[in-house]
Amino acid sequence: MDAQERDRLAGEVDALAAGLEEARGRHAAGLDPEPSLAPRFAARSEAAHRRTVDALRAAGEEALAARVAALRAERAAAGHEEAWRAAEAAARGRGPDGEAPLAALELAALRERDRGRRLALARAAAEALEPAAAHREAACEAAARARAEVGHAPDWRVVVEGDQLLAASDDAWRDVLAYRARTALEPLPAGDLARADLLHLLALGRWDGLFRAGMLPVALKLTLEPLGLDGRARVDAADRPAQWPGVHVHGARISFRPRGGAGDWQDLVEGMGRALGAAAAPPHRRDPALGAALGWLLGSLLLEPRWLADRAGVERRQAADVVRDLALRRLLALRARAAALRVATEVERGLSGARWREAYVEAMEAATGARWEGVRAARDADAAAHAAALRGADAGERLRRDLRERLDEDWWRNPRAAPLLAGLLAAGALPPEPGDTAPAPGDAARALVARLEGKPA
């Protein structure tokens, strides 16, 4: 294979990946309830074919071969993916106020103060997910078989790193969660904390007056512009009825449907970092960990009292409690990913059906202290995304520390930060770690534990 043929294949991969990102992004944004994916694969079949994987490996093009292999797995699952996306777009459940769309049920449960109503809304959402769950599970299993056919083996090292993250943060998570539940949940669940309770608790409603929706775009612009990062990614915040709640990143595009409060600020700032990482390189050369690292770096600004004072008007007397709550919310995301990664990796080895759901419920309860619905297992089964997020978080934490050492604690105010970040984006990948040995995993979790304990991080 000569350089011209290699470049041609890379262009095919980029075109297919960009088309899939557009279709999935339009679906998440509520613009297309039934996206058509299979025809996109058929139009560029060479970019998702096993023979292409073999030819690239024979030519020593391992990175591009891995990208084609990933697209091959997505192609095997395309029909099932179309089915679950259509089913979720039409999903409705009967909550305490009657029948409602899935998105409306999930948004309402997050902010519902009455526990009985909150759990009823969560049950309705879980029931609404059931018709799509079988298609999601079939998609995951088809993709796992396709990955096995092209010789892809699960990366157990990152699974073990996730286990180490859970062990290192167990005590802090449980102690602070128990305290926050006692002070914020009424009535206090007697040993049966549900996922809906946990998400309601970490919606951080008590800080809504600080993190106002109208100020979020202003804070984002004032943060990104001095860093030379403004205008590189696009945010769709139209708040359509069919738009998925929260932040969903597809390439350099972000679909954002507000849930309200501090969580929106944290998620959108972090999502912007992931989108910036995707915008830095064409799909065939993207380093998923770069976006996750940039997301972690920018998201860490919400744990900085100076940034909170400048952008959200958080007073010094409030700062410690705000930082602790946001750190707890961020630690939930890490712990949930670590637990879901282990289960998703077992799916690659053949775990399926009822055993899959049972393993997911057990793993998530062990990691979070709350009961999760088994119907959500296939929604949480992207092992590659979990692995990139966990490793990217550690890399982002090391990047944050490096910037603090070079530019001082308020590194984002320093004019020298912009060229440093520009160099990182120009490279399109994280720099190699200095030294001969890989850094110990868990830097991100340890930094959050320090925040929870009121120590400098």
Side-chain angles (χ1 to χ4, degrees):
M1 179 181 294
D2 59 21
Q4 185 176 4
E5 176 66 5
R6 187 261 180 209
D7 290 344
R8 185 188 66 79
L9 286 172
E12 287 289 299
V13 167
D14 290 345
L16 176 56
L20 294 171
E21 286 171 357
E22 180 184 11
R24 290 164 177 156
R26 285 177 57 81
H27 176 76
L31 293 169
D32 187 356
E34 299 184 15
S36 183
L37 303 177
R40 294 179 182 271
F41 285 105
R44 299 189 181 276
S45 60
E46 194 177 12
H49 203 286
R50 183 175 178 177
R51 286 197 300 270
T52 309
V53 177
D54 294 339
L56 287 167
R57 285 176 176 164
E61 297 285 350
E62 288 294 335
L64 186 54
R67 189 69 188 96
V68 175
L71 288 170
R72 169 73 188 92
E74 291 180 32
R75 183 180 186 180
H80 298 298
E81 183 179 349
E82 290 174 343
W84 72 248
R85 287 184 181 276
E88 283 201 5
R92 300 178 68 84
R94 185 165 293 280
D97 299 318
E99 192 175 78
L102 172 62
L105 293 167
E106 295 196 319
L107 284 169
L110 192 67
R111 291 286 171 165
E112 178 55 60
R113 289 175 172 268
D114 181 272
R115 187 170 191 247
R117 285 178 53 82
R118 183 164 67 242
L119 296 184
L121 288 162
R123 283 193 299 271
E127 291 167 5
L129 283 170
E130 195 64 58
H135 297 299
R136 273 192 180 264
E137 289 163 0
C140 293
E141 291 164 4
R145 288 192 298 270
R147 281 189 285 269
E149 288 172 3
V150 295
H152 171 81
D155 185 353
W156 283 99
R157 291 174 302 172
V158 71
V159 176
V160 173
E161 290 170 8
D163 292 343
Q164 293 170 345
L165 178 159
L166 291 169
S169 58
D170 262 338
D171 290 344
W173 167 258
R174 297 188 188 287
D175 289 349
V176 179
L177 177 64
Y179 170 76
R180 289 294 296 120
R182 286 196 303 271
T183 57
L185 290 180
E186 297 179 7
L188 179 66
D192 64 340
L193 193 71
R195 173 182 177 273
D197 297 322
L198 182 59
L199 297 187
H200 172 71
L201 175 67
L202 294 181
L204 307 182
R206 66 172 175 156
W207 304 121
D208 282 355
L210 296 173
F211 296 94
R212 299 185 298 277
M215 292 304 297
L216 175 52
V218 178
L220 194 61
K221 185 175 182 62
L222 290 175
T223 299
L224 296 179
E225 209 168 49
L227 296 173
L229 302 177
D230 193 33
R232 294 172 179 249
R234 191 176 76 193
V235 179
D236 178 352
D239 197 13
R240 302 177 187 88
Q243 192 169 9
W244 291 7
V247 172
H248 302 275
V249 181
H250 296 87
R253 300 181 183 90
I254 300 173
S255 170
F256 172 49
R257 183 174 183 183
R259 293 181 173 124
D264 281 347
W265 285 53
Q266 192 170 51
D267 292 347
L268 186 57
V269 172
E270 188 157 342
M272 183 60 68
R274 290 161 51 204
L276 290 168
H284 80 275
R285 286 201 300 106
R286 280 181 193 159
D287 176 4
L290 172 62
L294 288 171
W296 185 267
L297 174 68
L298 294 178
S300 295
L301 293 174
L302 278 94
L303 305 182
E304 297 286 355
R306 290 185 186 181
W307 189 93
L308 290 170
D310 289 346
R311 300 291 171 249
V314 176
E315 297 177 9
R316 181 175 296 182
R317 62 183 175 80
Q318 302 167 310
D321 288 336
V322 172
V323 167
R324 190 176 294 110
D325 279 357
L326 286 167
L328 187 68
R329 187 178 184 276
R330 213 171 196 204
L331 186 56
L332 168 64
L334 279 185
R335 289 178 63 85
R337 279 197 181 275
L341 172 61
R342 172 166 283 280
V343 179
T345 305
E346 292 289 354
V347 173
E348 297 286 318
R349 299 176 60 191
L351 183 68
S352 63
R355 291 188 301 115
W356 177 3
R357 293 192 180 192
E358 290 166 5
Y360 177 77
V361 170
E362 291 173 5
M364 297 305 284
E365 183 166 4
T368 69
R371 290 178 290 103
W372 291 56
E373 302 95 338
V375 73
R376 297 183 180 275
R379 275 188 144 204
D380 225 353
D382 190 339
H386 293 319
L390 292 174
R391 285 190 163 162
D394 281 348
E397 179 57 29
R398 291 190 289 272
L399 178 59
R400 185 190 71 87
R401 289 203 306 259
D402 180 60
L403 288 171
R404 283 170 63 96
E405 289 172 6
R406 291 192 194 191
L407 309 178
D408 210 349
E409 291 183 354
D410 54 351
W411 61 266
W412 63 93
R413 293 175 167 180
N414 193 314
R416 291 164 53 206
L420 288 173
L421 293 177
L424 187 63
L425 290 170
L430 289 169
E433 295 290 343
D436 298 329
T437 58
D443 281 338
R446 284 190 289 272
L448 293 177
V449 168
R451 299 280 193 182
L452 293 176
E453 294 174 346
K455 300 175 182 176

